[in-house]
Every structure is written in C-alpha cells, then in structure tokens.
Amino acid sequence: MKALFGRAWSRVSVVAAGAALALVGTAAPAPAVVGGHDITVEEAPYMATLLHFETLRCGAAVIDRTTLVTAGHCVDGVMKQFAQARVGATLREDDGTLLPIKRFSLHASYHKGASIDYDIAAIKLAEPLTFSAKVQPVALPKQDETAPVGAVGQFSGFGRTSEGGPVPKQLQQADLPVLPAETCEKAYGDGFTPRMLCAGTLDGSKGACQQDSGGPLVVDGKLVGISSWGLGCARKGLPGVYTKVSYFSEWIDSVRSL
C-alpha cells in the first residue's frame, strides 16, 4: 500500500467522489470530504478537530464533556503539550473553542502493517466542555451493535474536497452508505479486518480525503465509524475504511473513565 495523505498513511477528507480514505504508498490514513456540502457545526455539534503545532491534523468526535474519540494514527507520535482540540467550529480557522489536552489513550493493539488496525484513540481534555447548540456529544453504539448494510451515515470534516485538491474554509458533510464488508475485502484483501467498517460510494463521487482522518461517520445519531484509511480519495471501486466503533465500545468506556 502507499502512503496515506500527509504521512505514510494519512487520513481521508470527504470528497464528493467515493468514500475512499487515502492510502498512498503504504498504509496511511486520508483526511477530507469529497462530494460533500457546506454545513454549520450546529448540524454536527459532535464535530471536533485535533491540532498539532497549531495545524489541523485530524477530525474527532465529542462523546462526553471531557472525552473525544479519533483514529489511533491521529495521535501516534503527537506530543500533547503541542496539541489542542477545537470544538464548536463551522469554519476551518479562527472559529470555535480551543482546549488543552490532558492525555491520549491509544489502543494497546494499534499497529500499522498491510493496513492500520485497532485504529482508535481517546483524547482526554484538560478542561470540561460547555455544551451548547454548537457542542454536543454523539451517542455510541453498544458493543458489537453493527450498522446495517445500506444504512446512510453522515460524514463530516474539514479535509480536502478532492485528492490533492484544496481544503474547504467551511465544515463539510457527505452522506455515505454502509457497504458490505466483502466490498472492502475485495478492494483491500487482508488489509481489511473485523475491526473495520466499509462505507462510501463505488462511483468515486463521495468519500473521505486528506485531513479527514479521525472524523465521525454517524448513522441514526450514533457514531458507527471513524475515518481510518483507504487508497487515494474517493476513487472508483475503492470505498473508505473506517474504524468500527461498535467493536471498541467497551474499550472506550474503560478509558473515558480514567
């Protein structure tokens, strides 16, 4: 596999072209939304972002007053003293509220190989959030509560709107259907594991792209997926790969209480 957006593996943006996360070169995550449309954060108040050295690194999701969840590769190698979380932002820059980070909890089995497996992390904030119309937690699925194939989820992010293309000034959202696991198994072989969810369009019209890594895929008000990896951005026949949140619900509960 090839390097994902931004890094050897970078996360994907939501581009209106197929929900493929970027794996370019080696297994890497891709961040940004292809085929998306402008929204305000009130339409996705659980949306958060992770900044490193004041630069947008990844998306994340608010799950309670002191905890965000994101992709594991988003915090891998990140120094918390140089990182911040942003919530309540409709605009990519100079909007919302910045908060310091107390701790990253990276899953103990996280690793990069043929793909990025166990790709999940929790971000503990140093200060509690104040909930409002712009900042609200998203519900989590129960352990092993699988999103049905064909269900349409909303993916939000500030990632590129096309592979190698521009970044949006405003928060983007795209509707992405949950696909059969076999679709991603066919596209990615052994790189697709039971810890992963397949979602997006096969015609390359919508998907995640660079800087969308870690971003939330929400179905019926529940966080079912976290943008993890893919090959390019929304390429035909190459859907996006998301961390399957329901596989990790009990793990999330264990680390959020620390």
Side-chain angles (χ1 to χ4, degrees):
M1 295 215 167
K2 310 217 169 168
L4 293 188
F5 303 99
R7 312 169 20 176
W9 277 74
S10 73
R11 194 33 192 157
V12 204
S13 325
V14 177
V15 196
L21 303 188
L23 275 185
V24 184
T26 48
V33 178
V34 178
H37 57 276
D38 290 350
I39 63 167
T40 64
V41 73
E42 287 89 347
E43 297 172 80
Y46 47 80
M47 182 68 203
T49 54
L50 173 65
L51 286 71
H52 196 214
F53 291 103
E54 300 183 352
T55 299
L56 177 64
R57 180 175 177 85
C58 281
V62 176
I63 62 168
D64 63 40
R65 290 187 186 277
T66 59
T67 314
L68 314 179
V69 291
T70 188
H73 71 265
C74 288
V75 307
D76 186 13
V78 171
M79 296 176 283
K80 70 179 180 64
Q81 63 268 39
F82 300 114
Q84 294 173 299
R86 189 194 302 273
V87 298
T90 291
L91 303 179
R92 182 185 177 93
E93 299 178 353
D94 302 321
D95 195 11
T97 301
L98 289 171
L99 299 115
I101 291 169
K102 180 179 180 180
R103 179 178 63 252
F104 294 129
S105 296
L106 180 62
H107 197 283
S109 296
Y110 163 80
H111 68 276
K112 291 182 285 188
S115 64
I116 305 178
D117 206 358
Y118 292 89
D119 192 20
I120 191 167
I123 301 172
K124 183 62 70 171
L125 302 175
E127 302 172 2
L129 297 172
T130 299
F131 290 155
S132 67
K134 294 183 177 182
V135 182
Q136 287 289 323
V138 64
L140 297 177
K142 296 178 181 179
Q143 184 71 23
D144 299 324
E145 179 187 354
T146 304
V149 171
V152 176
Q154 289 71 51
F155 181 74
S156 308
F158 289 98
R160 297 184 186 278
T161 54
S162 62
E163 191 168 338
V167 295
K169 293 181 179 180
Q170 185 166 336
L171 183 61
Q172 301 289 295
Q173 188 173 87
D175 292 334
L176 304 178
V178 175
L179 301 175
E182 293 78 13
T183 301
C184 280
E185 290 170 353
K186 180 179 179 180
Y188 302 117
D190 292 341
F192 187 83
T193 76
R195 272 84 52 192
M196 300 172 189
L197 179 76
C198 189
T201 61
L202 295 178
D203 62 0
S205 63
K206 297 181 182 180
C209 199
Q210 292 108 340
Q211 296 177 338
D212 277 334
S213 286
L217 178 66
V218 174
V219 172
D220 292 334
K222 293 183 179 181
L223 180 67
V224 302
I226 296 170
S227 181
S228 182
W229 62 275
L231 184 58
C233 290
R235 295 183 185 178
K236 289 184 178 180
L238 296 173
V241 180
Y242 296 75
T243 301
K244 185 187 291 184
V245 175
S246 64
Y247 188 95
F248 298 99
S249 295
E250 292 178 355
W251 178 84
I252 294 171
D253 284 339
S254 71
V255 298
R256 76 198 296 187
S257 61
L258 296 177

